[in-house]
Amino acid sequence: MPSSPQPRTSGTSATLYQQLAEDLSLAIARGTLPPGSRLPSVRRTSQSRQLSLNTVVAAYRVLEDRGLIEARPQSGYYVRARLPSPARPAMMQSSAAKPTESKVLDLIGAVLDAQQTPGFIDLALACPRGSDFYPGNKLARLMGQILRRQPGMVSTYALPPGSERLRVQIARRSMELGMALQAENIILTNGCMEALQLALRAVTKPGDAVGLESPTYFNLLPLFASLGLKAVEIPTDPQHGLSVDAVELLLSEGRISALVAMPNIHNPLGCSMPLEAKKRLARLVNHYQVPLIEDGLYAELQFSDTQAPAAKAFDEDGWIIFCTSYTKTLAPDFRIGWMEGGRFGAALRKLKFASSVAQPMVLSETLGAFLESGGYDHHLRALKRHYAQHVEKVRGLIARHFPAGTRATDPAGGFLIWLELPEACDSVALFHAAIAENISIMPGPLYSPGGRYRNAMRLSCCYPLDERYVAALTRVGMLAQQQLA
């Protein structure tokens, strides 16, 4: 009598449980296993797939972490309802009000103050920390080698244009985002924020109206206020990015003097504009001769293997200024950013010299050597896999612990998730309740000059997803549920 097949328990168990998890994920995505349906029991799946019980349990845990299934006591595993995407925005155009600016600055100050609290847990700032995210040891070794060869570098003033090695590598890598830049046109800056500030100073004057995505990066609001600029909010779709129709209307009516946007991996939405939308945006700003300041800070953190091009790739007459930095991918404390100013290059170089002269040569040379060695590509691939896994796990936690009706973005890259809570939730009140428990989140009104998005918030997935992080996120979900109660 033939023996019954035995469960597979070879050294490929890790691959087996991952394959089972992917098969079930696909079945859920296709609707073969619809929301609310019960999965086969662990024992039944073990028998039908000829896998060990431990392999099946591991696969089911992966699906739990992703928020795709949930375990119900005495009942088994069930397919969860998927997190819906945030709603499409309504058309809006409004100027920033000073009371809103003041509240935004107060909230930003509270977030930063919380960082100093012992035992504080940060779910807010987009500031990755530690060796999981940065190649600190490799950079330290490279810097040591450079200083041993050129010890006089630290006692010499760094002057423009800065490290040629780094600028050459930046120009070479710009091709990954569809741009064909020249090293002599690259301006090194003190992070991306200085690049954005210089760009705004070069193309605007106090009192000008500047188009701004809504929601947008919160630190642009105090920057606009310091330069005396009026922010005109432009609706930005959580899946497709900036509304080019709205941009065309504003340009045709001559209502904005410049535009700031993040076409690739938007902060806080995590989306990228479709290719045709980027091409159309580039055509519009060139046609109307209104500068676009493109913030490409997260552009290299796209999850897809093929990188979507920057809007700057389609700039014909130099009306797009591209700004970015290596603070999110390589070395935050180096504060090395860069920009390519198109037709505004000469003015930007003068402003850079008047603002902060040049970037430290030893830091720039270290980054240049790292890029030159090919180590950056290997690091970036691992980093993107790391963030994709983090985002997936955090979305699973949100689905499990936040109120019913919560919506969340599914980012195309980076490590930020934008949540829309049920209408009755107040994210500012939630922020204060969480701060009282040494947990920091970013409430939605920080991302709008007009104080919109009261029921929204941003979460950062750029920290180790340890027990403290999971407990803190779970607690925030409970606090949101208590608001509804």
Side-chain angles (χ1 to χ4, degrees):
M1 181 175 179
S3 60
S4 60
Q6 296 299 306
R8 290 173 283 174
T9 57
S10 70
T12 61
S13 59
T15 304
L16 292 173
Y17 87 77
Q18 290 167 349
Q19 184 59 56
L20 176 59
E22 292 307 315
D23 289 349
L24 293 172
S25 294
L26 188 60
I28 292 170
R30 289 175 172 172
T32 308
L33 290 171
S37 63
R38 185 175 184 272
L39 268 68
S41 69
V42 170
R43 185 170 299 280
R44 182 178 169 189
T45 301
S46 170
Q47 292 170 348
S48 64
R49 294 274 186 147
Q50 299 181 35
L51 298 170
S52 71
L53 293 173
N54 287 341
T55 298
V56 178
V57 168
Y60 281 18
R61 282 177 180 165
V62 168
L63 296 176
E64 278 192 285
D65 288 342
R66 294 179 183 178
L68 297 179
I69 67 173
E70 61 182 349
R72 297 179 186 174
Q74 314 301 320
S75 184
Y77 291 91
Y78 290 80
V79 178
R80 290 182 60 89
R82 296 301 302 272
L83 275 171
S85 297
R88 293 176 65 89
M91 291 291 287
M92 90 282 281
Q93 289 139 21
S94 65
S95 297
K98 291 194 182 301
T100 300
E101 291 168 1
S102 176
K103 291 176 182 177
V104 166
L105 291 173
D106 289 344
L107 282 173
I108 293 173
V111 170
L112 296 177
D113 288 345
Q115 308 285 323
Q116 313 305 319
T117 306
F120 159 83
I121 304 171
D122 190 2
L123 309 179
L125 294 181
C127 299
R129 287 193 295 264
S131 58
D132 286 349
F133 307 105
Y134 297 115
N137 292 333
K138 294 178 181 177
L139 292 173
R141 286 195 296 271
L142 278 174
M143 185 184 294
Q145 293 169 8
I146 289 168
L147 287 174
R148 282 193 294 274
R149 287 196 300 266
Q150 297 175 273
M153 192 177 289
V154 294
S155 56
T156 304
Y157 275 98
L159 295 173
S163 168
E164 182 179 11
R165 170 189 262 178
L166 177 56
R167 289 183 292 110
V168 166
Q169 291 303 312
I170 288 171
R172 180 183 66 82
R173 290 200 60 82
S174 72
M175 297 177 67
E176 297 287 329
L177 294 172
M179 299 180 287
L181 308 182
Q182 302 299 316
E184 58 266 27
N185 297 328
I186 302 295
I187 301 170
L188 301 181
T189 63
N190 185 34
C192 192
M193 277 307 298
E194 186 186 38
L196 294 170
Q197 182 193 89
L198 295 175
L200 284 167
R201 288 170 60 193
V203 303
T204 66
K205 61 184 184 301
D208 280 352
V210 178
L212 197 63
E213 294 161 311
S214 184
T216 190
Y217 171 46
F218 69 87
N219 215 18
L220 287 174
L221 306 189
L223 175 58
F224 272 45
S226 71
L227 297 176
L229 302 174
K230 298 176 183 177
V232 178
E233 295 189 70
I234 302 175
T236 304
D237 186 87
Q239 292 180 306
H240 305 295
L242 180 69
S243 169
V244 185
D245 288 341
V247 171
E248 184 170 19
L249 178 64
L250 290 170
L251 291 174
S252 66
E253 295 178 351
R255 294 178 54 191
I256 56 175
S257 301
L259 172 66
V260 181
M262 297 184 78
N264 277 330
I265 313 302
H266 181 274
N267 175 6
L269 297 176
C271 61
S272 291
M273 294 175 65
L275 179 62
E276 289 304 316
K278 290 178 194 170
K279 291 180 178 179
R280 182 181 165 205
L281 179 63
R283 285 197 302 269
L284 284 171
V285 297
N286 277 270
H287 174 74
Y288 287 99
Q289 299 187 352
V290 171
L292 164 63
I293 301 169
E294 180 174 5
D295 183 348
L297 185 58
Y298 294 88
E300 287 195 301
L301 290 175
Q302 300 175 54
F303 293 153
S304 61
D305 293 332
T306 303
Q307 301 291 278
K312 175 70 175 174
F314 311 107
D315 184 19
E316 294 181 355
D317 296 319
W319 287 96
I320 300 179
I321 302 172
F322 188 84
C323 305
T324 188
S325 86
Y326 290 103
T327 55
K328 303 301 182 188
T329 57
L330 269 184
D333 198 51
F334 281 22
R335 299 299 304 163
I336 301 291
W338 63 272
M339 64 195 306
E340 205 281 357
R343 62 175 50 239
F344 305 100
L348 288 166
R349 282 189 285 274
K350 291 176 183 177
L351 284 171
K352 167 60 185 178
F353 185 76
S355 174
S356 55
V357 184
Q359 294 310 109
M361 184 62 79
V362 66
L363 303 181
S364 301
E365 284 286 296
T366 300
L367 285 191
F370 189 76
L371 295 176
E372 203 173 60
S373 71
Y376 186 55
D377 294 295
H378 175 75
H379 163 72
L380 204 55
R381 285 193 295 270
L383 187 64
K384 292 194 291 185
R385 286 196 300 269
H386 202 59
Y387 283 141
Q389 293 167 0
H390 274 217
V391 165
E392 194 169 25
K393 288 179 181 177
V394 171
R395 278 174 50 83
L397 291 168
I398 293 166
R400 195 179 311 161
H401 299 294
F402 277 66
T406 296
R407 297 171 175 265
T409 53
D410 191 1
F415 46 75
L416 303 172
I417 298 178
W418 179 255
L419 302 186
E420 282 184 3
L421 301 166
E423 286 290 336
C425 287
D426 182 334
S427 64
V428 175
L430 185 61
F431 165 80
H432 289 296
I435 283 288
E437 301 191 21
N438 285 347
I439 304 169
S440 178
I441 60 171
M442 298 296 272
L446 280 177
Y447 299 89
S448 163
R452 305 173 194 274
Y453 314 114
R454 191 79 181 183
N455 66 316
M457 59 183 283
R458 189 193 78 177
L459 288 173
S460 292
C461 313
C462 57
Y463 306 104
L465 301 188
D466 53 20
E467 291 182 4
R468 293 179 72 247
Y469 183 100
V470 172
L473 186 59
T474 301
R475 180 59 182 155
V476 172
M478 292 175 64
L479 291 171
Q481 298 204 45
Q482 287 174 12
Q483 277 195 359
L484 295 177

